[in-house]
Amino acid sequence: MANKESIQRSGILTDKALSFLSFKREFLEKNKHFQSNKIRNYFNVSDNDWNSWKWQLQNQIKTAEKLKEIFDITQHEFEQLVKVSEKFRFAITPYYLSLIQNFNKSDPIYLQCIPQIDELYYGGKIDPMNESNNNPAGTITRRYPDRVILNVTNSCAAFCRHCQRRRNIGEKDIYINEASLEESFEYIKSHPEIRDVLITGGDPLTLSDSCIENILIKIRSIETVEIIRIGTRIPVTLPQRITSELITILKNMVLFI
Ligand code: SF4
């Protein structure tokens, strides 16, 4: 049985922890609005547009010049950013940028999306998974016996600096052509041992609803495929994309089984 002193002490510790959590919540909320408002003011954007995934994609921050207008970066950081982005492009949605706390350059989202000069100097491999030598047809990557990757775009709402498919990101958005996709579907169909298809890219949810639906219908119609997965960061980088229409498309694919 705990003694009175221990219970009192535990109560004091709880009060202290709650007081800190309450301060933290208020602080983060206040700064979030400060930053979010600054970014919204910069774009002079209505709530409707801000909540539109298409507006967010059309207004991605993709250049050092634009970032400097919004974010407090030094001239030196600006020059480094220009240098790196000439070789490795970057992009981030206004929404995702607004989540960086207090314009802090140590914030994980800043480090995830905004290029650092080290990218030019620390080697690494352009194709660390050797995927280009595992491409038997169309836009398929096959590295395992019963599953494949289907690459459908090289576009993303935000380009992660650590991306293992950096070689696909390139200099501009590329939407995979119909013929290449058809070749990929045919390959999956003619290999009944493939039971798991991971749709990825880039980020498949940057595609239009009709594109996503067509791809899903095609794969779902292959009887030997049991599992369809979508590799995406959109729920965090562009949650506005998760519309009721998209949810209906995804739900229909589940019911389709
Ligand atoms: S493919 Fe994935 S990891 Fe690579 S940049 Fe896009 S979201 Fe990030």
Side-chain angles (χ1 to χ4, degrees):
M1 174 75 89
N3 65 28
K4 201 170 148 199
E5 201 174 318
S6 301
I7 292 170
Q8 265 177 355
R9 173 77 185 141
S10 169
I12 292 167
L13 292 175
T14 296
D15 287 346
K16 284 191 175 183
L18 290 179
S19 148
F20 167 73
L21 289 174
S22 148
F23 169 80
K24 181 179 155 194
R25 214 169 15 249
E26 276 171 34
F27 178 82
L28 293 180
E29 192 61 20
K30 194 169 132 213
N31 284 313
K32 183 178 95 185
H33 285 138
F34 164 69
Q35 181 157 309
S36 173
N37 287 342
K38 190 175 171 197
I39 292 170
R40 282 171 180 240
N41 288 342
Y42 171 82
F43 285 101
N44 195 17
V45 58
S46 67
D47 282 352
N48 264 354
D49 280 344
W50 183 260
N51 293 321
S52 149
W53 68 274
K54 290 181 182 167
W55 182 90
Q56 289 284 340
L57 281 185
Q58 280 157 7
N59 288 281
Q60 277 175 322
I61 293 95
K62 301 177 182 179
T63 63
E65 287 76 13
K66 199 161 182 180
L67 188 76
K68 192 171 192 296
E69 282 173 25
I70 303 174
F71 222 91
D72 187 20
I73 55 175
T74 64
Q75 185 58 23
H76 181 60
E77 287 165 335
F78 171 78
E79 282 160 18
Q80 291 193 330
L81 190 50
V82 170
K83 222 170 162 183
V84 187
S85 55
E86 275 167 4
K87 186 159 184 207
F88 301 117
R89 68 171 167 154
F90 82 100
I92 181 168
T93 55
Y95 164 79
Y96 205 36
L97 191 73
S98 80
L99 298 187
I100 295 172
Q101 291 299 330
N102 210 18
F103 298 99
N104 179 355
K105 288 165 208 153
S106 305
D107 184 288
I109 296 176
Y110 190 93
L111 296 173
Q112 180 192 346
C113 300
I114 308 301
Q116 308 286 313
I117 195 70
D118 290 351
E119 290 182 35
L120 295 181
Y121 302 121
Y122 285 95
K125 288 184 176 171
I126 202 71
D127 183 7
M129 311 290 280
N130 193 25
E131 290 184 328
S132 47
N133 287 327
N134 290 282
N135 170 221
T139 61
I140 296 273
T141 302
R142 185 173 186 186
R143 300 182 62 233
Y144 302 101
D146 64 346
R147 65 203 59 194
V148 293
I149 285 172
L150 176 65
N151 296 289
V152 293
T153 177
N154 75 338
S155 172
C156 296
F159 292 120
C160 313
R161 306 322 299 164
H162 58 263
C163 182
Q164 68 175 23
R165 301 219 173 84
R166 172 166 271 188
R167 74 189 191 286
N168 289 347
I169 300 305
E171 291 310 308
K172 57 181 178 17
D173 292 349
I174 297 170
Y175 297 99
I176 307 302
N177 67 46
E178 199 70 21
S180 203
L181 275 179
E182 281 306 325
E183 192 183 319
S184 308
F185 298 139
E186 279 309 313
Y187 179 85
I188 299 170
K189 210 184 285 180
S190 62
H191 287 267
E193 72 278 13
I194 295 168
R195 48 181 281 280
D196 180 351
V197 177
L198 170 62
I199 305 170
T200 181
D203 198 316
L205 295 190
T206 55
L207 298 177
S208 68
D209 283 354
S210 60
C211 253
I212 294 170
E213 189 170 32
N214 287 338
I215 292 169
L216 288 172
I217 288 175
K218 284 278 189 178
I219 301 175
R220 190 41 96 209
S221 71
I222 303 172
E223 283 179 11
T224 43
V225 174
E226 297 169 21
I227 300 164
I228 302 175
R229 290 179 287 147
I230 297 178
T232 180
R233 272 208 164 87
I234 287 271
V236 293
T237 55
L238 180 60
Q240 295 84 347
R241 177 67 186 98
I242 313 300
T243 59
S244 50
E245 292 81 6
L246 178 65
I247 290 170
T248 304
I249 290 169
L250 298 177
K251 270 187 178 168
N252 285 344
M253 288 308 126
V254 176
L255 293 174
F256 205 67
I257 296 174

